[in-house]
PDB file of all heavy atoms in Angstrom:
ATOM      1  N   GLN A   1     136.252 -65.482 -18.863  1.00 97.00           N
ATOM      2  CA  GLN A   1     137.618 -65.116 -19.112  1.00 97.00           C
ATOM      3  C   GLN A   1     137.746 -64.623 -20.593  1.00 97.00           C
ATOM      4  O   GLN A   1     136.924 -64.932 -21.479  1.00 97.00           O
ATOM      5  CB  GLN A   1     138.517 -66.344 -18.970  1.00 97.00           C
ATOM      6  CG  GLN A   1     138.718 -66.860 -17.548  1.00 97.00           C
ATOM      7  CD  GLN A   1     139.759 -67.887 -17.372  1.00 97.00           C
ATOM      8  OE1 GLN A   1     140.029 -68.698 -18.280  1.00 97.00           O
ATOM      9  NE2 GLN A   1     140.380 -67.847 -16.209  1.00 97.00           N
ATOM     10  N   ARG A   2     138.861 -63.826 -20.796  1.00 97.00           N
ATOM     11  CA  ARG A   2     139.098 -63.333 -22.107  1.00 97.00           C
ATOM     12  C   ARG A   2     139.553 -64.623 -22.959  1.00 97.00           C
ATOM     13  O   ARG A   2     140.257 -65.484 -22.536  1.00 97.00           O
ATOM     14  CB  ARG A   2     140.261 -62.401 -22.067  1.00 97.00           C
ATOM     15  CG  ARG A   2     140.439 -61.650 -23.348  1.00 97.00           C
ATOM     16  CD  ARG A   2     141.444 -60.488 -23.206  1.00 97.00           C
ATOM     17  NE  ARG A   2     140.957 -59.404 -22.265  1.00 97.00           N
ATOM     18  CZ  ARG A   2     141.612 -58.317 -22.078  1.00 97.00           C
ATOM     19  NH1 ARG A   2     142.691 -57.990 -22.765  1.00 97.00           N
ATOM     20  NH2 ARG A   2     141.080 -57.377 -21.205  1.00 97.00           N
ATOM     21  N   GLU A   3     138.994 -64.592 -24.157  1.00 98.00           N
ATOM     22  CA  GLU A   3     139.244 -65.730 -25.111  1.00 98.00           C
ATOM     23  C   GLU A   3     139.714 -65.289 -26.452  1.00 98.00           C
ATOM     24  O   GLU A   3     139.255 -64.253 -26.963  1.00 98.00           O
ATOM     25  CB  GLU A   3     138.015 -66.681 -25.144  1.00 98.00           C
ATOM     26  CG  GLU A   3     136.809 -65.909 -25.820  1.00 98.00           C
ATOM     27  CD  GLU A   3     135.672 -66.941 -26.018  1.00 98.00           C
ATOM     28  OE1 GLU A   3     135.708 -67.995 -25.546  1.00 98.00           O
ATOM     29  OE2 GLU A   3     134.626 -66.508 -26.704  1.00 98.00           O
ATOM     30  N   LEU A   4     140.453 -66.179 -27.133  1.00 98.00           N
ATOM     31  CA  LEU A   4     140.916 -65.877 -28.523  1.00 98.00           C
ATOM     32  C   LEU A   4     139.711 -65.919 -29.441  1.00 98.00           C
ATOM     33  O   LEU A   4     138.805 -66.750 -29.295  1.00 98.00           O
ATOM     34  CB  LEU A   4     141.858 -66.982 -28.951  1.00 98.00           C
ATOM     35  CG  LEU A   4     142.194 -67.104 -30.342  1.00 98.00           C
ATOM     36  CD1 LEU A   4     143.187 -65.917 -30.780  1.00 98.00           C
ATOM     37  CD2 LEU A   4     142.888 -68.412 -30.747  1.00 98.00           C
ATOM     38  N   VAL A   5     139.733 -64.888 -30.380  1.00 98.00           N
ATOM     39  CA  VAL A   5     138.729 -64.919 -31.347  1.00 98.00           C
ATOM     40  C   VAL A   5     139.468 -65.303 -32.722  1.00 98.00           C
ATOM     41  O   VAL A   5     139.125 -66.339 -33.451  1.00 98.00           O
ATOM     42  CB  VAL A   5     138.023 -63.570 -31.621  1.00 98.00           C
ATOM     43  CG1 VAL A   5     137.065 -63.590 -32.765  1.00 98.00           C
ATOM     44  CG2 VAL A   5     137.238 -63.234 -30.313  1.00 98.00           C
ATOM     45  N   ALA A   6     140.435 -64.526 -33.057  1.00 98.00           N
ATOM     46  CA  ALA A   6     141.217 -64.767 -34.315  1.00 98.00           C
ATOM     47  C   ALA A   6     142.516 -63.980 -34.263  1.00 98.00           C
ATOM     48  O   ALA A   6     142.590 -62.888 -33.734  1.00 98.00           O
ATOM     49  CB  ALA A   6     140.408 -64.379 -35.596  1.00 98.00           C
ATOM     50  N   THR A   7     143.560 -64.558 -34.880  1.00 98.00           N
ATOM     51  CA  THR A   7     144.835 -63.847 -34.914  1.00 98.00           C
ATOM     52  C   THR A   7     145.390 -64.026 -36.441  1.00 98.00           C
ATOM     53  O   THR A   7     145.035 -65.022 -37.115  1.00 98.00           O
ATOM     54  CB  THR A   7     145.833 -64.382 -34.063  1.00 98.00           C
ATOM     55  OG1 THR A   7     146.137 -65.764 -34.242  1.00 98.00           O
ATOM     56  CG2 THR A   7     145.486 -64.208 -32.590  1.00 98.00           C
ATOM     57  N   ILE A   8     146.256 -63.181 -36.852  1.00 96.00           N
ATOM     58  CA  ILE A   8     146.932 -63.154 -38.096  1.00 96.00           C
ATOM     59  C   ILE A   8     148.293 -62.687 -37.962  1.00 96.00           C
ATOM     60  O   ILE A   8     148.519 -61.645 -37.251  1.00 96.00           O
ATOM     61  CB  ILE A   8     146.101 -62.473 -39.184  1.00 96.00           C
ATOM     62  CG1 ILE A   8     146.748 -62.537 -40.559  1.00 96.00           C
ATOM     63  CG2 ILE A   8     145.982 -60.986 -38.777  1.00 96.00           C
ATOM     64  CD1 ILE A   8     145.845 -62.095 -41.680  1.00 96.00           C
ATOM     65  N   SER A   9     149.289 -63.354 -38.646  1.00 92.00           N
ATOM     66  CA  SER A   9     150.679 -62.982 -38.510  1.00 92.00           C
ATOM     67  C   SER A   9     151.125 -62.275 -39.793  1.00 92.00           C
ATOM     68  O   SER A   9     150.403 -62.315 -40.790  1.00 92.00           O
ATOM     69  CB  SER A   9     151.505 -64.149 -38.153  1.00 92.00           C
ATOM     70  OG  SER A   9     151.728 -64.913 -39.434  1.00 92.00           O
ATOM     71  N   THR A  10     152.248 -61.593 -39.762  1.00 89.00           N
ATOM     72  CA  THR A  10     152.841 -61.018 -40.922  1.00 89.00           C
ATOM     73  C   THR A  10     153.156 -61.944 -41.981  1.00 89.00           C
ATOM     74  O   THR A  10     153.433 -61.704 -43.119  1.00 89.00           O
ATOM     75  CB  THR A  10     154.103 -60.166 -40.594  1.00 89.00           C
ATOM     76  OG1 THR A  10     154.846 -60.885 -39.763  1.00 89.00           O
ATOM     77  CG2 THR A  10     153.652 -58.864 -39.882  1.00 89.00           C
ATOM     78  N   ALA A  11     153.257 -63.298 -41.564  1.00 89.00           N
ATOM     79  CA  ALA A  11     153.444 -64.406 -42.517  1.00 89.00           C
ATOM     80  C   ALA A  11     152.099 -64.913 -42.923  1.00 89.00           C
ATOM     81  O   ALA A  11     152.173 -66.010 -43.657  1.00 89.00           O
ATOM     82  CB  ALA A  11     154.364 -65.462 -41.850  1.00 89.00           C
ATOM     83  N   ASP A  12     151.043 -64.295 -42.627  1.00 88.00           N
ATOM     84  CA  ASP A  12     149.730 -64.720 -43.055  1.00 88.00           C
ATOM     85  C   ASP A  12     149.264 -66.008 -42.460  1.00 88.00           C
ATOM     86  O   ASP A  12     148.431 -66.734 -42.982  1.00 88.00           O
ATOM     87  CB  ASP A  12     149.574 -64.742 -44.600  1.00 88.00           C
ATOM     88  CG  ASP A  12     149.410 -63.416 -45.176  1.00 88.00           C
ATOM     89  OD1 ASP A  12     148.887 -62.500 -44.477  1.00 88.00           O
ATOM     90  OD2 ASP A  12     149.756 -63.170 -46.353  1.00 88.00           O
ATOM     91  N   SER A  13     149.828 -66.397 -41.217  1.00 95.00           N
ATOM     92  CA  SER A  13     149.285 -67.534 -40.492  1.00 95.00           C
ATOM     93  C   SER A  13     148.062 -67.051 -39.731  1.00 95.00           C
ATOM     94  O   SER A  13     148.106 -66.065 -38.968  1.00 95.00           O
ATOM     95  CB  SER A  13     150.389 -68.070 -39.558  1.00 95.00           C
ATOM     96  OG  SER A  13     149.860 -69.059 -38.751  1.00 95.00           O
ATOM     97  N   ILE A  14     146.947 -67.789 -39.895  1.00 97.00           N
ATOM     98  CA  ILE A  14     145.739 -67.352 -39.268  1.00 97.00           C
ATOM     99  C   ILE A  14     145.158 -68.440 -38.370  1.00 97.00           C
ATOM    100  O   ILE A  14     145.328 -69.624 -38.644  1.00 97.00           O
ATOM    101  CB  ILE A  14     144.699 -67.066 -40.427  1.00 97.00           C
ATOM    102  CG1 ILE A  14     145.057 -65.850 -41.236  1.00 97.00           C
ATOM    103  CG2 ILE A  14     143.269 -66.870 -39.780  1.00 97.00           C
ATOM    104  CD1 ILE A  14     144.209 -65.528 -42.300  1.00 97.00           C
ATOM    105  N   LYS A  15     144.638 -68.010 -37.236  1.00 98.00           N
ATOM    106  CA  LYS A  15     143.996 -68.942 -36.256  1.00 98.00           C
ATOM    107  C   LYS A  15     142.616 -68.385 -35.942  1.00 98.00           C
ATOM    108  O   LYS A  15     142.435 -67.112 -35.862  1.00 98.00           O
ATOM    109  CB  LYS A  15     144.722 -68.999 -34.956  1.00 98.00           C
ATOM    110  CG  LYS A  15     146.084 -69.735 -34.928  1.00 98.00           C
ATOM    111  CD  LYS A  15     146.613 -69.858 -33.541  1.00 98.00           C
ATOM    112  CE  LYS A  15     147.901 -70.556 -33.538  1.00 98.00           C
ATOM    113  NZ  LYS A  15     148.459 -70.557 -32.161  1.00 98.00           N
ATOM    114  N   TYR A  16     141.592 -69.281 -35.835  1.00 98.00           N
ATOM    115  CA  TYR A  16     140.308 -68.893 -35.396  1.00 98.00           C
ATOM    116  C   TYR A  16     139.823 -69.802 -34.232  1.00 98.00           C
ATOM    117  O   TYR A  16     140.162 -70.931 -34.205  1.00 98.00           O
ATOM    118  CB  TYR A  16     139.327 -69.128 -36.599  1.00 98.00           C
ATOM    119  CG  TYR A  16     139.386 -68.187 -37.741  1.00 98.00           C
ATOM    120  CD1 TYR A  16     139.971 -68.597 -38.955  1.00 98.00           C
ATOM    121  CD2 TYR A  16     138.965 -66.836 -37.649  1.00 98.00           C
ATOM    122  CE1 TYR A  16     140.029 -67.788 -40.011  1.00 98.00           C
ATOM    123  CE2 TYR A  16     139.094 -65.935 -38.708  1.00 98.00           C
ATOM    124  CZ  TYR A  16     139.602 -66.426 -39.851  1.00 98.00           C
ATOM    125  OH  TYR A  16     139.708 -65.605 -40.997  1.00 98.00           O
ATOM    126  N   ALA A  17     139.076 -69.165 -33.409  1.00 98.00           N
ATOM    127  CA  ALA A  17     138.393 -69.927 -32.404  1.00 98.00           C
ATOM    128  C   ALA A  17     137.357 -70.850 -33.108  1.00 98.00           C
ATOM    129  O   ALA A  17     136.777 -70.383 -34.109  1.00 98.00           O
ATOM    130  CB  ALA A  17     137.736 -69.092 -31.314  1.00 98.00           C
ATOM    131  N   ASP A  18     137.140 -72.046 -32.601  1.00 98.00           N
ATOM    132  CA  ASP A  18     136.157 -72.930 -33.102  1.00 98.00           C
ATOM    133  C   ASP A  18     134.755 -72.361 -33.312  1.00 98.00           C
ATOM    134  O   ASP A  18     134.020 -72.490 -34.214  1.00 98.00           O
ATOM    135  CB  ASP A  18     136.029 -74.257 -32.365  1.00 98.00           C
ATOM    136  CG  ASP A  18     137.334 -75.102 -32.566  1.00 98.00           C
ATOM    137  OD1 ASP A  18     138.068 -74.890 -33.396  1.00 98.00           O
ATOM    138  OD2 ASP A  18     137.505 -76.013 -31.755  1.00 98.00           O
ATOM    139  N   SER A  19     134.439 -71.488 -32.286  1.00 97.00           N
ATOM    140  CA  SER A  19     133.101 -70.877 -32.181  1.00 97.00           C
ATOM    141  C   SER A  19     132.812 -69.875 -33.316  1.00 97.00           C
ATOM    142  O   SER A  19     131.678 -69.524 -33.544  1.00 97.00           O
ATOM    143  CB  SER A  19     132.921 -70.289 -30.787  1.00 97.00           C
ATOM    144  OG  SER A  19     133.938 -69.250 -30.607  1.00 97.00           O
ATOM    145  N   VAL A  20     133.831 -69.371 -33.928  1.00 98.00           N
ATOM    146  CA  VAL A  20     133.728 -68.394 -34.889  1.00 98.00           C
ATOM    147  C   VAL A  20     134.079 -68.796 -36.343  1.00 98.00           C
ATOM    148  O   VAL A  20     133.895 -68.123 -37.268  1.00 98.00           O
ATOM    149  CB  VAL A  20     134.414 -67.079 -34.573  1.00 98.00           C
ATOM    150  CG1 VAL A  20     134.058 -66.598 -33.177  1.00 98.00           C
ATOM    151  CG2 VAL A  20     135.931 -67.194 -34.806  1.00 98.00           C
ATOM    152  N   GLN A  21     134.784 -69.978 -36.362  1.00 97.00           N
ATOM    153  CA  GLN A  21     135.116 -70.530 -37.699  1.00 97.00           C
ATOM    154  C   GLN A  21     134.000 -70.571 -38.627  1.00 97.00           C
ATOM    155  O   GLN A  21     132.934 -71.019 -38.380  1.00 97.00           O
ATOM    156  CB  GLN A  21     135.799 -72.002 -37.486  1.00 97.00           C
ATOM    157  CG  GLN A  21     136.257 -72.573 -38.666  1.00 97.00           C
ATOM    158  CD  GLN A  21     137.679 -72.027 -39.080  1.00 97.00           C
ATOM    159  OE1 GLN A  21     138.542 -71.905 -38.257  1.00 97.00           O
ATOM    160  NE2 GLN A  21     137.905 -71.807 -40.337  1.00 97.00           N
ATOM    161  N   GLY A  22     134.244 -70.020 -39.859  1.00 97.00           N
ATOM    162  CA  GLY A  22     133.202 -70.005 -40.887  1.00 97.00           C
ATOM    163  C   GLY A  22     132.323 -68.818 -40.872  1.00 97.00           C
ATOM    164  O   GLY A  22     131.481 -68.519 -41.860  1.00 97.00           O
ATOM    165  N   ARG A  23     132.346 -68.030 -39.820  1.00 98.00           N
ATOM    166  CA  ARG A  23     131.460 -66.859 -39.618  1.00 98.00           C
ATOM    167  C   ARG A  23     132.293 -65.581 -39.692  1.00 98.00           C
ATOM    168  O   ARG A  23     131.824 -64.543 -40.127  1.00 98.00           O
ATOM    169  CB  ARG A  23     130.646 -66.988 -38.342  1.00 98.00           C
ATOM    170  CG  ARG A  23     129.666 -68.204 -38.249  1.00 98.00           C
ATOM    171  CD  ARG A  23     128.795 -68.000 -37.098  1.00 98.00           C
ATOM    172  NE  ARG A  23     129.513 -68.086 -35.831  1.00 98.00           N
ATOM    173  CZ  ARG A  23     129.504 -66.965 -34.883  1.00 98.00           C
ATOM    174  NH1 ARG A  23     128.705 -65.985 -35.095  1.00 98.00           N
ATOM    175  NH2 ARG A  23     130.117 -67.156 -33.832  1.00 98.00           N
ATOM    176  N   PHE A  24     133.466 -65.591 -39.032  1.00 98.00           N
ATOM    177  CA  PHE A  24     134.369 -64.416 -38.899  1.00 98.00           C
ATOM    178  C   PHE A  24     135.491 -64.590 -39.878  1.00 98.00           C
ATOM    179  O   PHE A  24     136.051 -65.743 -40.056  1.00 98.00           O
ATOM    180  CB  PHE A  24     134.811 -64.329 -37.512  1.00 98.00           C
ATOM    181  CG  PHE A  24     133.864 -63.904 -36.480  1.00 98.00           C
ATOM    182  CD1 PHE A  24     132.448 -63.980 -36.679  1.00 98.00           C
ATOM    183  CD2 PHE A  24     134.229 -63.625 -35.173  1.00 98.00           C
ATOM    184  CE1 PHE A  24     131.578 -63.627 -35.741  1.00 98.00           C
ATOM    185  CE2 PHE A  24     133.301 -63.189 -34.221  1.00 98.00           C
ATOM    186  CZ  PHE A  24     131.955 -63.365 -34.465  1.00 98.00           C
ATOM    187  N   THR A  25     135.985 -63.456 -40.342  1.00 98.00           N
ATOM    188  CA  THR A  25     137.163 -63.483 -41.209  1.00 98.00           C
ATOM    189  C   THR A  25     138.083 -62.342 -40.729  1.00 98.00           C
ATOM    190  O   THR A  25     137.677 -61.197 -40.689  1.00 98.00           O
ATOM    191  CB  THR A  25     136.772 -63.190 -42.679  1.00 98.00           C
ATOM    192  OG1 THR A  25     135.865 -64.270 -43.099  1.00 98.00           O
ATOM    193  CG2 THR A  25     138.041 -63.299 -43.620  1.00 98.00           C
ATOM    194  N   ILE A  26     139.333 -62.778 -40.521  1.00 98.00           N
ATOM    195  CA  ILE A  26     140.390 -61.752 -40.162  1.00 98.00           C
ATOM    196  C   ILE A  26     141.203 -61.513 -41.356  1.00 98.00           C
ATOM    197  O   ILE A  26     141.546 -62.355 -42.107  1.00 98.00           O
ATOM    198  CB  ILE A  26     141.219 -62.193 -38.906  1.00 98.00           C
ATOM    199  CG1 ILE A  26     142.091 -61.077 -38.338  1.00 98.00           C
ATOM    200  CG2 ILE A  26     142.093 -63.530 -39.267  1.00 98.00           C
ATOM    201  CD1 ILE A  26     142.731 -61.461 -37.026  1.00 98.00           C
ATOM    202  N   SER A  27     141.577 -60.178 -41.508  1.00 96.00           N
ATOM    203  CA  SER A  27     142.580 -59.763 -42.593  1.00 96.00           C
ATOM    204  C   SER A  27     143.348 -58.616 -42.135  1.00 96.00           C
ATOM    205  O   SER A  27     143.186 -58.066 -41.009  1.00 96.00           O
ATOM    206  CB  SER A  27     141.647 -59.423 -43.840  1.00 96.00           C
ATOM    207  OG  SER A  27     140.801 -58.321 -43.612  1.00 96.00           O
ATOM    208  N   ARG A  28     144.351 -58.277 -42.913  1.00 93.00           N
ATOM    209  CA  ARG A  28     145.148 -57.144 -42.499  1.00 93.00           C
ATOM    210  C   ARG A  28     145.637 -56.360 -43.707  1.00 93.00           C
ATOM    211  O   ARG A  28     145.656 -56.814 -44.850  1.00 93.00           O
ATOM    212  CB  ARG A  28     146.371 -57.749 -41.831  1.00 93.00           C
ATOM    213  CG  ARG A  28     147.320 -58.632 -42.626  1.00 93.00           C
ATOM    214  CD  ARG A  28     148.340 -59.310 -41.817  1.00 93.00           C
ATOM    215  NE  ARG A  28     149.211 -60.149 -42.628  1.00 93.00           N
ATOM    216  CZ  ARG A  28     150.292 -59.792 -43.222  1.00 93.00           C
ATOM    217  NH1 ARG A  28     150.741 -58.570 -43.060  1.00 93.00           N
ATOM    218  NH2 ARG A  28     151.028 -60.630 -43.887  1.00 93.00           N
ATOM    219  N   ALA A  29     145.956 -55.103 -43.456  1.00 89.00           N
ATOM    220  CA  ALA A  29     146.564 -54.204 -44.415  1.00 89.00           C
ATOM    221  C   ALA A  29     147.973 -53.943 -43.978  1.00 89.00           C
ATOM    222  O   ALA A  29     148.057 -53.029 -43.000  1.00 89.00           O
ATOM    223  CB  ALA A  29     145.694 -52.927 -44.623  1.00 89.00           C
ATOM    224  N   ASN A  30     148.903 -54.498 -44.549  1.00 75.00           N
ATOM    225  CA  ASN A  30     150.341 -54.350 -44.012  1.00 75.00           C
ATOM    226  C   ASN A  30     150.847 -52.906 -43.936  1.00 75.00           C
ATOM    227  O   ASN A  30     151.441 -52.382 -42.997  1.00 75.00           O
ATOM    228  CB  ASN A  30     151.279 -55.156 -44.887  1.00 75.00           C
ATOM    229  CG  ASN A  30     151.359 -56.586 -44.394  1.00 75.00           C
ATOM    230  OD1 ASN A  30     150.854 -56.962 -43.374  1.00 75.00           O
ATOM    231  ND2 ASN A  30     152.119 -57.365 -45.169  1.00 75.00           N
TER     232      ASN A  30
END
């Protein structure tokens, strides 16, 4: 199934899947 990797909001709230925590970094350019 499709699964979450990482998300980021305009308020800079970030979520990571446990499996990628510490290895992946999400960022944004507003």
Side-chain angles (χ1 to χ4, degrees):
Q1 289 189 332
R2 191 172 297 188
E3 63 177 7
L4 167 76
V5 177
T7 61
I8 185 168
S9 75
T10 45
D12 282 335
S13 175
I14 292 176
K15 288 184 181 179
Y16 290 106
D18 289 344
S19 59
V20 307
Q21 183 79 45
R23 299 188 297 122
F24 291 9
T25 302
I26 191 169
S27 60
R28 63 190 178 90
N30 274 354

